[in-house]
Amino acid sequence: MSIFAALADPTRRGIVESLARGALSSGEIADRFDISASAISQHLKVLREAQIVRVRAEAQRRIYELDPHGVNELAQWVDELRSYWSSRFDALEAELRKPASKPRKRRKEM
């Protein structure tokens, strides 16, 4: 599954936003949402498979954090998109700063 398909779901985006503030256990993640722990587990699985989050074991707990690989891939895509639009906006600005040309007079028809 692609990163974008994984992030298409609002719950998964919410999980990613929570993890952007720091690592959380699966229980802490589940406490933040009004869905079952099983459903959260499925969302976390999708995010792991898309390499957006990674998990490590600490005793009996599973700790989730953002996976730099997937986040960097996403950031690179955003940077490319930003670069594309930046050049377009620069061209638009240059066009808008050009002095206005005088309108041509229309010839009267006879």
Side-chain angles (χ1 to χ4, degrees), residues 1-109:
M1 174 177 282
S2 78
I3 290 175
F4 300 105
L7 292 174
D9 183 276
T11 300
R12 291 193 286 266
R13 287 193 307 272
I15 291 170
V16 169
E17 289 169 3
S18 294
L19 292 174
R21 295 181 197 101
L24 297 168
S25 70
S26 54
E28 291 170 322
I29 294 168
D31 288 344
R32 295 171 183 238
F33 297 89
D34 195 24
I35 59 177
S36 70
S38 176
I40 289 294
S41 179
Q42 290 299 311
H43 285 299
L44 288 168
K45 179 182 177 186
V46 170
L47 291 171
R48 274 193 330 270
E49 289 173 352
Q51 295 183 323
I52 299 170
V53 302
R54 61 185 178 187
V55 62
R56 69 180 188 275
E58 281 186 7
Q60 299 298 319
R61 297 172 18 144
R62 298 292 174 256
I63 306 299
Y64 288 84
E65 60 189 355
L66 294 180
D67 185 333
H69 174 76
V71 172
N72 287 339
E73 187 177 329
L74 184 59
Q76 181 181 359
W77 181 82
V78 170
D79 287 343
E80 289 171 9
L81 190 62
R82 183 180 297 125
S83 173
Y84 170 80
W85 281 108
S86 179
S87 66
R88 297 288 186 203
F89 286 135
D90 289 346
L92 176 61
E93 181 180 19
E95 220 26 64
L96 292 173
R97 290 187 182 274
K98 286 182 180 178
S101 60
K102 294 181 181 178
R104 292 185 192 174
K105 291 184 179 179
R106 295 178 75 188
R107 292 174 29 173
K108 293 183 181 178
E109 293 182 26

